[in-house]
């Protein structure tokens, strides 16, 4: 079985491919990744005999057509993914997340490729003060990032309703784990603390996120690929709910630092207060059940960054070079 996986030089996609190559001896994987600032081929076992890496853009219709023609299925992770960057400028988000997704869908349709798993986020539902968003909750994205993902979800689902393409959408909560680019809150805070620097906490720190280990997310994506239904959306949640302030406290403890290292900064524009997804559908239909313990998972993640300075130091240096 030939699987085309987009964006797998990034955080979540690389975890998915690393796991799949270990657990499924039948699968051959082609990764298509543009290697933006967030993509790093060192995240992948590029010499693996069942892995081919192609450096390219999901908006390149000719390249996408060629790769899709040789694929049986697609798992689509490629995206611009950082909310703060989308607030600075939304163009790359609309281009990659919306146009890139449509380019892939067109190619999948031409070549009869499916399932096409479109990996999305809980942020499409917007902030929910109490309870949890089910899959039919209205889409009320706040940031340009979330809006571009919601747009791509709708385009993807339209290819199922209009053309019958086997599209399946996943919407997951915040992930943590190794190989995450050190601009996102957990690797940013951990690497700053390991370097003796301060960490920037937005506003009063009361915004709540649900944290799921990246490997639990990847297992959920694969359950959707192998057992999900065409045209359906599956929420993937079940992580640990924490305010940013609580998360900061845990990271300070893990890095043996105190609150003197925290710098309070102006809140993010349009900062959603809370996300929470209802994942009953994935649990009852697919047997999805996250199994990584948060305390152990967070400790393992902090240890990974402590032991892999060679991975993140060049990325932070490059990010600081004007
Ligand atoms: P990431 O930023 O770490 O990686 C994105 C990858 O996509 C990079 O390797 C980058 O080079 C590649 N890419 C970007 N533009 C491209 C283009 N035009 N063509 C080809 N490749 C391109 O992101 P991530 O955190 O791994 O997220 C992956 C997916 O999972 C995204 O779709 C995101 O919305 C979704 N998601 C992430 C989380 C999370 O907590 N990280 C949670 C839920 C959903």
């Amino acid at each position: 079985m030939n699987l085309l996986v987009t964006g797998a030089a990034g955080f979540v996609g690389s975890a998915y491919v690393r796991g799949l190559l270990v657990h499924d001896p039948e699968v051959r994987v082609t990764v298509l990744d543009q290697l933006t600032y967030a993509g790093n081929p060192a995240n992948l076992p590029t010499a693996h005999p069942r892995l081919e890496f192609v450096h390219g853009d999901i908006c390149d219709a000719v390249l996408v057509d060629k790769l899709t023609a040789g694929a049986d299925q697609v798992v689509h992770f490629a995206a611009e993914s950082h909310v703060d960057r989308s607030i600075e400028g939304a163009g790359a988000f609309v281009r990659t997340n919306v146009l890139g997704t449509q380019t892939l869908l067109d190619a999948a349709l031409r070549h009869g490729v499916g399932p096409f798993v479109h990996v999305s986020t809980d942020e499409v539902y917007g902030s929910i003060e109490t309870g949890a968003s089910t899959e039919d909750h209205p889409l009320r994205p706040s940031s340009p990032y979330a809006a571009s993902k919601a747009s791509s979800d709708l385009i993807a689902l339209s290819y199922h309703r209009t053309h019958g393409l086997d599209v399946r959408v996943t919407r997951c909560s915040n992930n943590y784990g190794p190989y995450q680019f050190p601009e996102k809150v957990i690797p940013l805070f951990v690497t700053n603390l390991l370097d003796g620097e301060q960490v920037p906490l937005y506003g009063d720190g009361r915004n709540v996120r649900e944290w799921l280990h990246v490997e639990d997310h990847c297992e959920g994506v694969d359950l959707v690929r192998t057992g999900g239904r065409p045209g359906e959306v599956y929420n993937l949640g079940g992580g640990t709910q924490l305010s940013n302030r609580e998360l900061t406290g845990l990271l300070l403890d893990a890095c043996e630092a105190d609150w003197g290292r925290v710098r309070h900064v102006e809140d993010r524009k349009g900062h959603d207060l809370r996300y929470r997804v209802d994942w009953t559908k994935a649990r009852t239909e697919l047997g999805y059940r996250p199994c990584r313990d948060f305390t152990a998972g967070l400790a393992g993640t902090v240890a990974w960054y402590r032991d892999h300075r060679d991975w993140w130091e060049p990325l932070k240096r490059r990010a600081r070079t004007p």
Side-chain angles (χ1 to χ4, degrees):
M1 204 275 292
N2 294 318
L3 188 64
L4 175 62
V5 185
T6 70
F11 168 48
V12 187
S14 67
Y16 177 75
V17 168
R18 290 192 306 272
L20 200 61
L21 289 172
V22 171
H23 298 303
D24 187 345
E26 302 297 315
V27 76
R28 280 181 302 280
V29 177
T30 300
V31 167
L32 171 60
D33 196 297
Q34 196 186 9
L35 299 181
T36 66
Y37 77 93
N40 184 349
N43 298 355
L44 286 168
T46 38
H48 194 287
R50 286 184 285 116
L51 175 65
E52 184 193 5
F53 181 80
V54 179
H55 181 196
D57 184 352
I58 58 166
C59 299
D60 178 343
V62 174
L63 177 62
V64 164
D65 188 76
K66 184 174 142 234
L67 296 178
T68 310
D72 301 304
Q73 302 180 358
V74 176
V75 181
H76 173 36
F77 292 96
E80 288 292 339
S81 69
H82 191 40
V83 172
D84 289 347
R85 287 178 186 257
S86 80
I87 294 169
E88 296 298 316
F93 287 74
V94 173
R95 180 182 178 278
T96 288
N97 300 0
V98 185
L99 281 179
T101 300
Q102 175 246 314
T103 305
L104 284 160
L105 289 163
D106 276 340
L109 188 59
R110 263 193 308 278
H111 297 292
V113 173
F116 182 116
V117 181
H118 172 67
V119 178
S120 190
T121 164
D122 61 355
E123 298 196 27
V124 299
Y125 299 120
S127 199
I128 178 168
E129 291 209 1
T130 55
S133 313
T134 53
E135 287 81 358
D136 53 10
H137 192 275
L139 301 184
R140 292 200 188 100
S142 300
S143 69
Y145 161 67
S148 68
K149 292 296 291 188
S151 307
S152 62
D153 290 14
L154 295 178
I155 292 279
L157 291 168
S158 81
Y159 274 63
H160 172 70
R161 293 203 194 104
T162 305
H163 301 294
L165 187 68
D166 181 348
V167 170
R168 306 166 188 191
V169 175
T170 63
R171 293 185 182 142
C172 188
S173 57
N174 276 31
N175 289 197
Y176 70 94
Y179 297 98
Q180 188 171 28
F181 192 84
E183 66 182 352
K184 304 279 171 65
V185 62
I186 290 182
L188 175 71
F189 279 27
V190 171
T191 57
N192 278 13
L193 292 170
L194 292 176
D195 271 350
E197 294 173 4
Q198 289 200 307
V199 296
L201 181 62
Y202 278 132
D204 55 12
R206 68 193 180 103
N207 305 68
V208 173
R209 298 293 179 265
E210 184 183 343
W211 291 98
L212 187 73
H213 196 280
V214 65
E215 289 170 9
D216 282 321
H217 179 191
C218 292
E219 287 171 10
V221 167
D222 216 49
L223 285 171
V224 171
R225 177 180 71 84
T226 53
R229 286 181 292 137
E232 293 295 319
V233 177
Y234 294 90
N235 287 342
L236 300 174
T240 297
Q241 269 201 107
L242 290 173
S243 70
N244 287 345
R245 201 176 160 77
E246 289 167 328
L247 176 67
T248 302
L250 293 177
L251 296 176
L252 289 170
D253 287 347
C255 298
E256 294 169 358
D258 60 35
W259 281 93
R261 300 277 286 283
V262 177
R263 183 167 48 91
H264 291 270
V265 296
E266 192 181 332
D267 207 359
R268 171 189 273 167
K269 286 188 199 168
H271 205 173
D272 283 333
L273 183 63
R274 178 178 173 272
Y275 305 124
R276 182 122 182 120
V277 288
D278 182 318
W279 48 285
T280 309
K281 182 175 169 182
R283 180 170 55 78
T284 52
E285 273 191 30
L286 308 173
Y288 164 77
R289 192 177 290 273
C291 60
R292 273 93 187 158
D293 173 72
F294 180 74
T295 306
L298 193 68
T301 301
V302 172
W304 188 88
Y305 287 99
R306 190 176 278 127
D307 295 343
H308 290 82
R309 279 183 172 272
D310 56 330
W311 184 86
W312 55 265
E313 278 180 343
L315 303 178
K316 287 192 96 161
R317 257 199 310 276
R318 208 177 312 146
R320 281 174 182 155
T321 311

